[in-house]
Amino acid sequence: MTPTESVQLRSFEQQLNRADLTRVMWLLWGLSAGLIALDGFDFFIIGVALPFIQRDFGLNATEIGAVAGAAVAGALVGSLTLGPVTDRIGRQIMLLVDIAIFVVATTGTALAWNAASLILFRFLVGVGIGADYPISVAYITENVPARLRGRMVIGAFTFQAVGALLGAVTGLTLIYLFQQYDSTTDELAIHYAWRAMLGVGLLLAIGVGALRLSFLLESPRYYIARGEYDEASKAAAILLEEPIIITPDTDPPDREPQLPYHALFSSTYRRATALASLPWFLQDIATYGIGIFTPVILTALAFAHEADFMAQTIASAQGAAVVDLFLIGGFLIAVWLVDRVGRIRLQIIGFVGMAIGLLILAVSDRLASETISTTALVLIGFLVFNLTMNAGPNSTTFLLSGEVFPTSIRASGAGFAAAVAKAGAVIGTMLLPPLQKSLGISTLLVLLALLCGLAAILTHLFRIETVGRSLESVEPKPQN
C-alpha cells in the first residue's frame, strides 16, 4: 500500500469491510453507546419514580399516563423531525445538539414545580432520545466493517438495558436513603426522592456530553453521498488510521443521488420502510407499556398484599432491578446470535418468546400452587419476556432501521421507523393505566401477546435479510 492511496467509492467500502476495528471506530462506538445508556436510564427511571410523583402531585390515572408517556411522545417527535435534519447537516453536529437538549431537559425535570411542567420537560427529554435513535444507528452502521456491523450496533444498543438497570438501582438506592425519615417527614421525603432520581439523569447527561465533546468525527459515507470527497478523504483517513484519498468513480458515476424524504414511501423503498417500522411499532406497544410500568405491574401481580407504601415500593423496585438483569442477558444473546441466526429469524423467534412471557404473566395467579408461588411465576414471565425481547426484536428492529436505507436517507428512514415505533410506545404508556383499570391486567397482557404474534407475521411478510451484506448491496435498486 502506498503512503497515500487513492480509492474510488466502492473500493473505499471494500477497504472498510476488510479493515480491523481501529481505535477510532471503538471510540465512535463508545460515544454512541453512552448516549443510548442515557436513553435507557431516562426512559425507565420514571417507572421507579412514578409512585412518588403520584403521591407528591396527587395524580389521577390519566395524569400518570401523561407523565409516563411524555418522554415517549417526545421521542416520536424527535425521531420524525431530527432524523431528516441529521441527513442534511450531518451526524456530528446533531450529536452536539442532542446532548444539549438532554442537559436542558433533565435539569427541568428535576426542578419541575407541578405535573404540567414535569410533562413538558419529560417531553423534551424524549425529543433528545428520539434524535439519538437515527443518529446513533447511522453513525455506527456507516463506520464499521459489514462483517461486524450487527454485533457492533446491537452491542451499543445493549447499553439501553444497562441504563434501565442503572435506573432501577438508582431508584432503589435512593428509596433506602430516604427511608431514614420518620413518619412526620414522609411527605418531604417523597417530594425530594423522585427529584433526586431524575437529577441523576442530569449528571449522566453532563458526563456523556463531556465525552462527546472530547472527540468529533463526521461519517465518511455522509461526505461521499454529498460528493464532498476532500472531507471524505480526511474523515476516512482518521477512521481507518491510514492516509487515504477518495475520488469518485467515473463510469458509472457512483455519487449517490440525494433522495427526497418521500422516497421512503416510493415503490423502491416501501418494503424496507414497512419492515423497519411496522414490527417496531407493535413491539414498542408491549416494550414500553410493560417496561416503564414494570414496578407497577409487579406491585399489582406480586406485592398487592403489602400495605405499607415504602415497603411496597421497595419490593417492586427490587423486582424491577432483578428482571432488568435479563434485559442485558437478552442483548448479549443477540450479539452472539445476530450474525449466526440472521436478523429476520431472530426477530420472529423473539416476538414469539415475548408473547409466551406475557401469557405467563397473564395467568400467573391461576397457575400458582403450593410448589410455585404467584411471585415466582411473575418473575418467570418477566424473565421470558425481557430475555426474548432483547435477544430478538428490541435489538433487530433498531439494527434493521440503519441497514435497509441508502446513505442519503438513512437517518430519515431510521428516524421515521423510530417515530412510528414511539407512536406505539405512546399507546403502550398512556393507555395502559386506564386499560388496566377497565379491562384488568390479565386481559390487557393477553392483548399485548396477540400484538407480538402479529408483529412476527409482519416480519416474515416484509423480510429483508441483511446479515453479512455491505450497505451498498442491501440498498434496493430503483425500478425502471
Side-chain angles (χ1 to χ4, degrees), residues 71-350:
V72 184
L76 188 160
V77 173
S79 298
L80 192 62
T81 59
L82 298 182
V85 173
T86 300
D87 281 329
R88 286 198 296 272
I89 69 174
R91 287 72 166 124
Q92 178 176 273
I93 296 175
M94 277 307 303
L95 287 172
L96 299 178
V97 172
D98 192 29
I99 199 65
I101 293 172
F102 265 113
V103 171
V104 172
T106 50
T107 301
T109 60
L111 300 177
W113 52 94
N114 57 24
S117 62
L118 178 60
I119 291 169
L120 172 62
F121 286 117
R122 285 289 298 172
F123 178 85
L124 292 177
V125 167
V127 171
I129 292 172
D132 189 49
Y133 282 101
I135 296 169
S136 292
V137 73
Y139 212 40
I140 298 173
T141 56
E142 292 175 359
N143 290 301
V144 298
R147 69 183 186 280
L148 302 173
R149 190 174 61 235
R151 282 175 282 172
M152 295 294 284
V153 171
I154 293 176
F157 202 51
T158 301
F159 281 77
Q160 184 193 64
V162 174
L165 178 61
L166 179 60
V169 172
T170 297
L172 185 60
T173 301
L174 289 170
I175 291 170
Y176 275 122
L177 290 176
F178 279 98
Q179 254 196 319
Q180 63 184 293
Y181 290 92
D182 61 31
S183 59
T184 61
T185 55
D186 273 351
E187 294 305 314
L188 189 63
I190 289 170
H191 177 76
Y192 285 108
W194 68 265
R195 296 176 185 276
M197 293 177 195
L198 300 185
V200 171
L202 172 60
L203 299 178
L204 295 175
I206 292 172
V208 172
L211 291 174
R212 284 276 174 109
L213 288 171
S214 67
F215 183 82
L216 298 172
L217 180 67
E218 186 55 83
S219 164
R221 286 184 66 96
Y222 173 78
Y223 286 132
I224 290 170
R226 296 168 61 89
E228 298 173 358
Y229 303 118
D230 289 342
E231 290 82 357
S233 299
K234 295 174 184 176
I238 295 173
L239 181 68
L240 297 175
E241 296 183 342
E242 59 181 270
I244 292 175
I245 296 177
I246 296 175
T247 59
D249 286 346
T250 55
D251 186 27
D254 74 352
R255 177 183 172 183
E256 182 183 288
Q258 295 298 298
L259 297 170
Y261 187 83
H262 62 76
L264 294 172
F265 313 105
S266 67
S267 59
T268 302
Y269 301 106
R270 194 178 300 142
R271 184 187 186 94
T273 301
L275 173 65
S277 57
L278 294 181
W280 201 356
F281 167 78
L282 295 172
Q283 177 224 314
D284 270 13
I285 294 177
T287 296
Y288 286 88
I290 298 298
I292 289 179
F293 290 103
T294 291
V296 175
I297 295 170
L298 284 169
T299 297
L301 294 178
F303 305 120
H305 62 278
E306 182 61 67
D308 181 73
F309 172 76
M310 277 293 190
Q312 189 181 72
T313 305
I314 288 173
S316 62
Q318 288 174 328
V322 171
V323 300
D324 282 350
L325 288 172
F326 295 101
L327 293 173
I328 298 175
F331 276 133
L332 294 177
I333 292 172
V335 171
W336 178 46
L337 291 180
V338 69
D339 290 323
R340 293 176 170 86
V341 175
R343 281 70 154 147
I344 300 301
R345 187 182 302 175
L346 199 59
Q347 184 160 304
I348 292 171
I349 293 171

Side-chain angles (χ1 to χ4, degrees), residues 137-138 141 149-150 153-154 157 271-277 279-280 283 338 342-348 351 392-406 410 413-415 417-418 458-460 462-467 469 471 474:
V137 73
T141 56
R149 190 174 61 235
V153 171
I154 293 176
F157 202 51
R271 184 187 186 94
T273 301
L275 173 65
S277 57
W280 201 356
Q283 177 224 314
V338 69
R343 281 70 154 147
I344 300 301
R345 187 182 302 175
L346 199 59
Q347 184 160 304
I348 292 171
F351 274 127
N394 201 30
S395 299
T396 53
T397 51
F398 180 70
L399 173 58
L400 286 167
S401 73
E403 291 184 320
V404 296
F405 300 107
R410 177 165 292 116
L458 291 177
T459 299
H460 176 73
F462 296 114
R463 61 191 181 277
I464 300 173
E465 186 54 73
T466 60
V467 63
R469 298 169 62 186
L471 293 178
V474 170

